[in-house]
Amino acid sequence: SSELLQPKPKVIISDSSVVLQIIATGQFRILRSLRSDFGVQSAIVPAVESEVLAIVENVAKFRGRREQFKKALRNKTLAIIDRDLLAPFLGRDAESWIRQIDSEGTRLYELVDRGEAFTHAASIVLNAPVASNDTTAVSRLVRQGEPIPRPVLRFWDLVVFSHQAAWLTAN
């Protein structure tokens, strides 16, 4: 098993539903504060990156937010789960872990949409917490007996935690 969750998580993997809420509300501060105050990196799988890019370019309410998303990726407020992210934790074995995530994601894609499949695959393989608002996908995976690390965080869990940590005001 991976060391990413021991003794505290080093990464939280988010799906498109949470990333889009962060973008819509402009609350990248939540992700920056998790990293700076607790050493927890927020990350997404490449499938989520492509989904979010398509949405910020094609969905009216998200248009004009592409650069905001790209900036968060450039400054590592939001990291991509790839060799560069995993190598410091997993060393030379990072490539084999990525192959395992890809294999699991392909398998889970038979049960849920692509972004959710690869997000949950990374969560399962790395034994890392996941942030998802897609309760339908989570329920389907749980009913199929998939070993999803729990609890599954939602966007509002991050907001409430951020308020408790005094990163956000009640407003």
Short mmCIF file of all heavy atoms in Angstrom, two decimals, residues 36-89:
data_model
loop_
_atom_site.label_atom_id
_atom_site.label_comp_id
_atom_site.label_asym_id
_atom_site.label_seq_id
_atom_site.Cartn_x
_atom_site.Cartn_y
_atom_site.Cartn_z
N SER A 36 -0.27 24.92 1.96
CA SER A 36 0.67 25.69 2.77
C SER A 36 0.54 25.38 4.27
O SER A 36 1.54 25.30 4.97
CB SER A 36 0.50 27.19 2.52
OG SER A 36 -0.77 27.63 2.94
N ASP A 37 -0.68 25.22 4.76
CA ASP A 37 -0.88 25.04 6.20
C ASP A 37 -0.78 23.58 6.65
O ASP A 37 -0.45 23.32 7.80
CB ASP A 37 -2.23 25.60 6.64
CG ASP A 37 -2.31 27.12 6.51
OD1 ASP A 37 -1.37 27.74 5.97
OD2 ASP A 37 -3.32 27.69 6.96
N PHE A 38 -1.12 22.65 5.77
CA PHE A 38 -1.16 21.23 6.17
C PHE A 38 -0.29 20.32 5.31
O PHE A 38 -0.21 19.13 5.57
CB PHE A 38 -2.60 20.72 6.15
CG PHE A 38 -3.47 21.35 7.19
CD1 PHE A 38 -4.30 22.41 6.87
CD2 PHE A 38 -3.43 20.91 8.51
CE1 PHE A 38 -5.08 23.02 7.83
CE2 PHE A 38 -4.22 21.52 9.48
CZ PHE A 38 -5.04 22.57 9.14
N GLY A 39 0.33 20.85 4.26
CA GLY A 39 1.16 20.03 3.40
C GLY A 39 0.37 19.02 2.59
O GLY A 39 0.89 17.98 2.21
N VAL A 40 -0.90 19.33 2.32
CA VAL A 40 -1.76 18.43 1.54
C VAL A 40 -1.94 19.03 0.15
O VAL A 40 -2.51 20.11 -0.01
CB VAL A 40 -3.13 18.23 2.22
CG1 VAL A 40 -4.04 17.36 1.36
CG2 VAL A 40 -2.96 17.62 3.61
N GLN A 41 -1.45 18.32 -0.85
CA GLN A 41 -1.54 18.77 -2.24
C GLN A 41 -2.87 18.35 -2.85
O GLN A 41 -3.25 17.18 -2.76
CB GLN A 41 -0.39 18.15 -3.06
CG GLN A 41 -0.44 18.45 -4.54
CD GLN A 41 -0.22 19.94 -4.83
OE1 GLN A 41 0.83 20.48 -4.51
NE2 GLN A 41 -1.19 20.57 -5.45
N SER A 42 -3.57 19.29 -3.44
CA SER A 42 -4.79 18.96 -4.18
C SER A 42 -4.36 18.54 -5.58
O SER A 42 -3.50 19.18 -6.19
CB SER A 42 -5.71 20.17 -4.25
OG SER A 42 -6.12 20.53 -2.96
N ALA A 43 -4.97 17.46 -6.07
CA ALA A 43 -4.54 16.92 -7.36
C ALA A 43 -5.73 16.41 -8.16
O ALA A 43 -6.79 16.12 -7.60
CB ALA A 43 -3.54 15.79 -7.14
N ILE A 44 -5.51 16.33 -9.47
CA ILE A 44 -6.51 15.78 -10.38
C ILE A 44 -5.81 14.82 -11.33
O ILE A 44 -4.61 14.91 -11.55
CB ILE A 44 -7.24 16.88 -11.18
CG1 ILE A 44 -6.25 17.73 -11.98
CG2 ILE A 44 -8.11 17.73 -10.27
CD1 ILE A 44 -6.90 18.75 -12.92
N VAL A 45 -6.59 13.92 -11.88
CA VAL A 45 -6.07 13.01 -12.90
C VAL A 45 -6.16 13.71 -14.26
O VAL A 45 -6.94 14.65 -14.44
CB VAL A 45 -6.86 11.67 -12.91
CG1 VAL A 45 -6.62 10.90 -11.61
CG2 VAL A 45 -8.33 11.90 -13.16
N PRO A 46 -5.38 13.27 -15.25
CA PRO A 46 -5.44 13.88 -16.58
C PRO A 46 -6.84 13.88 -17.19
O PRO A 46 -7.20 14.83 -17.89
CB PRO A 46 -4.46 13.03 -17.40
CG PRO A 46 -3.46 12.56 -16.39
CD PRO A 46 -4.27 12.29 -15.14
N ALA A 47 -7.65 12.86 -16.92
CA ALA A 47 -9.02 12.83 -17.46
C ALA A 47 -9.84 13.99 -16.94
O ALA A 47 -10.66 14.57 -17.67
CB ALA A 47 -9.69 11.49 -17.12
N VAL A 48 -9.64 14.37 -15.69
CA VAL A 48 -10.36 15.50 -15.12
C VAL A 48 -9.83 16.81 -15.71
O VAL A 48 -10.61 17.72 -16.01
CB VAL A 48 -10.28 15.49 -13.58
CG1 VAL A 48 -10.72 16.82 -12.97
CG2 VAL A 48 -11.12 14.34 -13.03
N GLU A 49 -8.53 16.89 -15.91
CA GLU A 49 -7.98 18.08 -16.54
C GLU A 49 -8.64 18.33 -17.90
O GLU A 49 -9.08 19.45 -18.19
CB GLU A 49 -6.46 17.94 -16.73
CG GLU A 49 -5.85 19.14 -17.44
CD GLU A 49 -4.39 18.93 -17.81
OE1 GLU A 49 -3.94 17.77 -17.93
OE2 GLU A 49 -3.70 19.96 -18.00
N SER A 50 -8.74 17.29 -18.72
CA SER A 50 -9.34 17.48 -20.05
C SER A 50 -10.83 17.79 -19.95
O SER A 50 -11.34 18.62 -20.71
CB SER A 50 -9.08 16.27 -20.95
OG SER A 50 -9.66 15.11 -20.44
N GLU A 51 -11.55 17.17 -19.01
CA GLU A 51 -12.97 17.49 -18.81
C GLU A 51 -13.17 18.94 -18.42
O GLU A 51 -14.02 19.64 -18.96
CB GLU A 51 -13.58 16.61 -17.70
CG GLU A 51 -13.98 15.24 -18.11
CD GLU A 51 -14.61 14.46 -16.95
OE1 GLU A 51 -14.83 15.02 -15.85
OE2 GLU A 51 -14.89 13.27 -17.16
N VAL A 52 -12.39 19.41 -17.45
CA VAL A 52 -12.53 20.77 -16.96
C VAL A 52 -12.17 21.76 -18.06
O VAL A 52 -12.86 22.77 -18.26
CB VAL A 52 -11.70 21.00 -15.68
CG1 VAL A 52 -11.66 22.48 -15.30
CG2 VAL A 52 -12.26 20.17 -14.53
N LEU A 53 -11.10 21.49 -18.80
CA LEU A 53 -10.74 22.38 -19.91
C LEU A 53 -11.86 22.49 -20.93
O LEU A 53 -12.17 23.59 -21.40
CB LEU A 53 -9.44 21.91 -20.58
CG LEU A 53 -8.16 22.28 -19.85
CD1 LEU A 53 -6.97 21.59 -20.49
CD2 LEU A 53 -7.96 23.79 -19.81
N ALA A 54 -12.48 21.37 -21.26
CA ALA A 54 -13.59 21.40 -22.22
C ALA A 54 -14.75 22.22 -21.68
O ALA A 54 -15.37 23.00 -22.41
CB ALA A 54 -14.04 19.97 -22.55
N ILE A 55 -15.04 22.09 -20.40
CA ILE A 55 -16.16 22.82 -19.80
C ILE A 55 -15.87 24.31 -19.72
O ILE A 55 -16.73 25.13 -20.07
CB ILE A 55 -16.51 22.22 -18.42
CG1 ILE A 55 -17.15 20.84 -18.63
CG2 ILE A 55 -17.45 23.14 -17.64
CD1 ILE A 55 -17.30 20.01 -17.37
N VAL A 56 -14.66 24.69 -19.30
CA VAL A 56 -14.37 26.13 -19.18
C VAL A 56 -14.28 26.80 -20.54
O VAL A 56 -14.36 28.03 -20.63
CB VAL A 56 -13.11 26.44 -18.32
CG1 VAL A 56 -13.31 25.98 -16.89
CG2 VAL A 56 -11.86 25.86 -18.92
N GLU A 57 -14.13 26.03 -21.61
CA GLU A 57 -14.11 26.60 -22.95
C GLU A 57 -15.48 26.58 -23.61
O GLU A 57 -15.74 27.41 -24.49
CB GLU A 57 -13.10 25.85 -23.82
CG GLU A 57 -11.67 26.12 -23.38
CD GLU A 57 -10.64 25.29 -24.12
OE1 GLU A 57 -11.01 24.51 -25.02
OE2 GLU A 57 -9.45 25.43 -23.79
N ASN A 58 -16.38 25.66 -23.22
CA ASN A 58 -17.62 25.46 -23.96
C ASN A 58 -18.91 25.73 -23.20
O ASN A 58 -19.96 25.86 -23.83
CB ASN A 58 -17.67 24.03 -24.51
CG ASN A 58 -16.52 23.77 -25.46
OD1 ASN A 58 -16.29 24.52 -26.39
ND2 ASN A 58 -15.77 22.70 -25.20
N VAL A 59 -18.87 25.80 -21.89
CA VAL A 59 -20.09 26.01 -21.11
C VAL A 59 -20.15 27.49 -20.71
O VAL A 59 -19.21 28.01 -20.09
CB VAL A 59 -20.13 25.09 -19.87
CG1 VAL A 59 -21.35 25.40 -19.01
CG2 VAL A 59 -20.13 23.63 -20.31
N ALA A 60 -21.25 28.14 -21.07
CA ALA A 60 -21.37 29.60 -20.92
C ALA A 60 -21.01 30.10 -19.52
O ALA A 60 -20.25 31.06 -19.39
CB ALA A 60 -22.79 30.04 -21.30
N LYS A 61 -21.51 29.47 -18.47
CA LYS A 61 -21.27 30.01 -17.13
C LYS A 61 -19.81 29.87 -16.68
O LYS A 61 -19.40 30.50 -15.70
CB LYS A 61 -22.23 29.43 -16.10
CG LYS A 61 -21.95 28.01 -15.67
CD LYS A 61 -22.96 27.63 -14.60
CE LYS A 61 -22.69 26.26 -14.04
NZ LYS A 61 -23.63 25.92 -12.98
N PHE A 62 -19.02 29.07 -17.39
CA PHE A 62 -17.61 28.91 -17.04
C PHE A 62 -16.67 29.61 -18.00
O PHE A 62 -15.47 29.67 -17.76
CB PHE A 62 -17.23 27.42 -16.96
CG PHE A 62 -17.83 26.73 -15.77
CD1 PHE A 62 -18.93 25.92 -15.92
CD2 PHE A 62 -17.31 26.90 -14.50
CE1 PHE A 62 -19.50 25.28 -14.83
CE2 PHE A 62 -17.86 26.28 -13.41
CZ PHE A 62 -18.97 25.46 -13.57
N ARG A 63 -17.20 30.14 -19.11
CA ARG A 63 -16.33 30.80 -20.09
C ARG A 63 -15.57 31.95 -19.43
O ARG A 63 -16.09 32.65 -18.58
CB ARG A 63 -17.15 31.33 -21.26
CG ARG A 63 -17.38 30.26 -22.27
CD ARG A 63 -17.75 30.81 -23.62
NE ARG A 63 -18.35 29.72 -24.38
CZ ARG A 63 -19.64 29.62 -24.63
NH1 ARG A 63 -20.48 30.56 -24.26
NH2 ARG A 63 -20.09 28.58 -25.29
N GLY A 64 -14.34 32.11 -19.86
CA GLY A 64 -13.50 33.16 -19.29
C GLY A 64 -12.74 32.72 -18.06
O GLY A 64 -11.99 33.49 -17.48
N ARG A 65 -12.90 31.48 -17.67
CA ARG A 65 -12.22 30.98 -16.46
C ARG A 65 -11.08 30.01 -16.78
O ARG A 65 -10.48 29.43 -15.89
CB ARG A 65 -13.23 30.31 -15.53
CG ARG A 65 -14.41 31.20 -15.25
CD ARG A 65 -14.66 31.33 -13.83
NE ARG A 65 -15.83 32.15 -13.60
CZ ARG A 65 -16.37 32.29 -12.44
NH1 ARG A 65 -15.87 31.64 -11.42
NH2 ARG A 65 -17.42 33.05 -12.29
N ARG A 66 -10.82 29.83 -18.06
CA ARG A 66 -9.76 28.91 -18.49
C ARG A 66 -8.41 29.32 -17.90
O ARG A 66 -7.68 28.48 -17.39
CB ARG A 66 -9.69 28.88 -20.02
CG ARG A 66 -8.65 27.93 -20.55
CD ARG A 66 -8.61 27.99 -22.09
NE ARG A 66 -7.87 26.88 -22.66
CZ ARG A 66 -6.55 26.83 -22.74
NH1 ARG A 66 -5.82 27.84 -22.30
NH2 ARG A 66 -5.95 25.78 -23.28
N GLU A 67 -8.09 30.60 -17.99
CA GLU A 67 -6.79 31.07 -17.50
C GLU A 67 -6.68 30.88 -15.99
O GLU A 67 -5.62 30.55 -15.48
CB GLU A 67 -6.55 32.53 -17.89
CG GLU A 67 -5.15 33.01 -17.58
CD GLU A 67 -4.03 32.09 -18.10
OE1 GLU A 67 -4.14 31.54 -19.21
OE2 GLU A 67 -3.04 31.91 -17.35
N GLN A 68 -7.77 31.06 -15.28
CA GLN A 68 -7.79 30.83 -13.82
C GLN A 68 -7.41 29.37 -13.52
O GLN A 68 -6.59 29.10 -12.64
CB GLN A 68 -9.21 31.15 -13.34
CG GLN A 68 -9.43 31.19 -11.87
CD GLN A 68 -10.91 31.46 -11.55
OE1 GLN A 68 -11.81 31.07 -12.30
NE2 GLN A 68 -11.14 32.10 -10.44
N PHE A 69 -7.99 28.45 -14.28
CA PHE A 69 -7.70 27.02 -14.10
C PHE A 69 -6.25 26.72 -14.48
O PHE A 69 -5.54 26.04 -13.74
CB PHE A 69 -8.68 26.20 -14.94
CG PHE A 69 -8.43 24.72 -14.91
CD1 PHE A 69 -8.46 24.01 -13.73
CD2 PHE A 69 -8.18 24.03 -16.09
CE1 PHE A 69 -8.23 22.64 -13.70
CE2 PHE A 69 -7.95 22.67 -16.07
CZ PHE A 69 -7.98 21.97 -14.88
N LYS A 70 -5.80 27.23 -15.62
CA LYS A 70 -4.43 26.98 -16.07
C LYS A 70 -3.41 27.55 -15.08
O LYS A 70 -2.38 26.92 -14.82
CB LYS A 70 -4.20 27.58 -17.47
CG LYS A 70 -5.01 26.92 -18.56
CD LYS A 70 -4.70 25.46 -18.70
CE LYS A 70 -3.75 25.23 -19.85
NZ LYS A 70 -3.37 23.83 -19.98
N LYS A 71 -3.70 28.72 -14.51
CA LYS A 71 -2.80 29.31 -13.52
C LYS A 71 -2.69 28.41 -12.29
O LYS A 71 -1.60 28.20 -11.75
CB LYS A 71 -3.29 30.70 -13.11
CG LYS A 71 -2.42 31.37 -12.08
CD LYS A 71 -2.96 32.73 -11.69
CE LYS A 71 -2.08 33.35 -10.60
NZ LYS A 71 -2.65 34.62 -10.12
N ALA A 72 -3.83 27.86 -11.84
CA ALA A 72 -3.81 26.95 -10.68
C ALA A 72 -2.95 25.72 -10.97
O ALA A 72 -2.28 25.21 -10.08
CB ALA A 72 -5.24 26.55 -10.32
N LEU A 73 -2.96 25.25 -12.22
CA LEU A 73 -2.10 24.12 -12.58
C LEU A 73 -0.64 24.54 -12.64
O LEU A 73 0.23 23.81 -12.15
CB LEU A 73 -2.54 23.54 -13.94
CG LEU A 73 -3.90 22.86 -13.96
CD1 LEU A 73 -4.29 22.51 -15.39
CD2 LEU A 73 -3.92 21.63 -13.08
N ARG A 74 -0.37 25.69 -13.22
CA ARG A 74 1.03 26.17 -13.34
C ARG A 74 1.67 26.38 -11.98
O ARG A 74 2.83 26.01 -11.78
CB ARG A 74 1.09 27.49 -14.12
CG ARG A 74 1.09 27.34 -15.61
CD ARG A 74 1.46 28.63 -16.33
NE ARG A 74 0.71 29.80 -15.91
CZ ARG A 74 -0.46 30.16 -16.41
NH1 ARG A 74 -1.03 29.46 -17.36
NH2 ARG A 74 -1.06 31.25 -15.95
N ASN A 75 0.93 26.97 -11.04
CA ASN A 75 1.54 27.27 -9.74
C ASN A 75 1.36 26.13 -8.72
O ASN A 75 1.66 26.28 -7.55
CB ASN A 75 1.06 28.61 -9.19
CG ASN A 75 -0.41 28.62 -8.83
OD1 ASN A 75 -1.02 27.59 -8.57
ND2 ASN A 75 -0.99 29.81 -8.80
N LYS A 76 0.85 25.00 -9.21
CA LYS A 76 0.69 23.78 -8.39
C LYS A 76 -0.32 23.93 -7.26
O LYS A 76 -0.31 23.14 -6.31
CB LYS A 76 2.03 23.28 -7.84
CG LYS A 76 3.03 22.89 -8.91
CD LYS A 76 2.56 21.73 -9.71
CE LYS A 76 3.64 21.28 -10.67
NZ LYS A 76 3.12 20.68 -11.86
N THR A 77 -1.20 24.94 -7.36
CA THR A 77 -2.34 24.97 -6.44
C THR A 77 -3.13 23.68 -6.65
O THR A 77 -3.65 23.09 -5.72
CB THR A 77 -3.22 26.20 -6.73
OG1 THR A 77 -2.46 27.37 -6.43
CG2 THR A 77 -4.49 26.20 -5.89
N LEU A 78 -3.16 23.25 -7.90
CA LEU A 78 -3.80 22.01 -8.31
C LEU A 78 -2.78 21.26 -9.17
O LEU A 78 -2.31 21.79 -10.17
CB LEU A 78 -5.05 22.35 -9.12
CG LEU A 78 -6.09 21.29 -9.36
CD1 LEU A 78 -6.58 20.66 -8.06
CD2 LEU A 78 -7.27 21.90 -10.10
N ALA A 79 -2.40 20.07 -8.75
CA ALA A 79 -1.39 19.30 -9.47
C ALA A 79 -2.05 18.18 -10.28
O ALA A 79 -3.14 17.72 -9.95
CB ALA A 79 -0.39 18.70 -8.48
N ILE A 80 -1.37 17.77 -11.32
CA ILE A 80 -1.80 16.62 -12.12
C ILE A 80 -1.13 15.38 -11.53
O ILE A 80 0.06 15.40 -11.22
CB ILE A 80 -1.38 16.77 -13.60
CG1 ILE A 80 -1.90 18.07 -14.19
CG2 ILE A 80 -1.83 15.56 -14.41
CD1 ILE A 80 -3.38 18.14 -14.38
N ILE A 81 -1.89 14.31 -11.40
CA ILE A 81 -1.30 13.06 -10.92
C ILE A 81 -0.49 12.46 -12.07
O ILE A 81 -1.04 11.93 -13.03
CB ILE A 81 -2.37 12.09 -10.40
CG1 ILE A 81 -3.02 12.71 -9.18
CG2 ILE A 81 -1.75 10.72 -10.08
CD1 ILE A 81 -4.09 11.89 -8.54
N ASP A 82 0.81 12.63 -11.96
CA ASP A 82 1.73 12.14 -12.97
C ASP A 82 3.05 11.76 -12.28
O ASP A 82 3.14 11.81 -11.04
CB ASP A 82 1.94 13.18 -14.08
CG ASP A 82 2.52 14.50 -13.58
OD1 ASP A 82 2.98 14.58 -12.41
OD2 ASP A 82 2.51 15.47 -14.36
N ARG A 83 4.02 11.41 -13.08
CA ARG A 83 5.30 10.98 -12.54
C ARG A 83 5.94 12.06 -11.66
O ARG A 83 6.48 11.77 -10.60
CB ARG A 83 6.25 10.59 -13.67
CG ARG A 83 7.53 9.98 -13.18
CD ARG A 83 8.53 9.74 -14.30
NE ARG A 83 9.73 9.13 -13.79
CZ ARG A 83 10.58 9.74 -12.94
NH1 ARG A 83 10.34 10.94 -12.49
NH2 ARG A 83 11.67 9.11 -12.53
N ASP A 84 5.88 13.33 -12.10
CA ASP A 84 6.49 14.41 -11.33
C ASP A 84 5.89 14.55 -9.94
O ASP A 84 6.59 14.81 -8.97
CB ASP A 84 6.35 15.74 -12.08
CG ASP A 84 7.23 15.80 -13.33
OD1 ASP A 84 8.20 15.03 -13.43
OD2 ASP A 84 6.92 16.63 -14.20
N LEU A 85 4.58 14.37 -9.84
CA LEU A 85 3.93 14.48 -8.53
C LEU A 85 4.24 13.26 -7.66
O LEU A 85 4.48 13.39 -6.46
CB LEU A 85 2.40 14.62 -8.70
CG LEU A 85 1.61 14.68 -7.39
CD1 LEU A 85 1.90 15.97 -6.63
CD2 LEU A 85 0.13 14.53 -7.66
N LEU A 86 4.21 12.08 -8.26
CA LEU A 86 4.34 10.85 -7.47
C LEU A 86 5.78 10.44 -7.15
O LEU A 86 6.02 9.78 -6.14
CB LEU A 86 3.64 9.70 -8.19
CG LEU A 86 2.13 9.86 -8.38
CD1 LEU A 86 1.55 8.64 -9.08
CD2 LEU A 86 1.43 10.12 -7.06
N ALA A 87 6.73 10.82 -7.96
CA ALA A 87 8.12 10.39 -7.75
C ALA A 87 8.67 10.74 -6.36
O ALA A 87 9.35 9.89 -5.76
CB ALA A 87 9.03 10.93 -8.85
N PRO A 88 8.40 11.93 -5.82
CA PRO A 88 8.94 12.21 -4.47
C PRO A 88 8.42 11.25 -3.40
O PRO A 88 9.09 11.02 -2.40
CB PRO A 88 8.47 13.64 -4.18
CG PRO A 88 8.27 14.25 -5.53
CD PRO A 88 7.78 13.13 -6.40
N PHE A 89 7.22 10.69 -3.59
CA PHE A 89 6.64 9.76 -2.62
C PHE A 89 6.99 8.31 -2.93
O PHE A 89 7.17 7.50 -2.04
CB PHE A 89 5.11 9.89 -2.59
CG PHE A 89 4.61 11.27 -2.37
CD1 PHE A 89 3.98 11.97 -3.38
CD2 PHE A 89 4.76 11.90 -1.14
CE1 PHE A 89 3.51 13.25 -3.19
CE2 PHE A 89 4.30 13.19 -0.92
CZ PHE A 89 3.69 13.87 -1.96
#
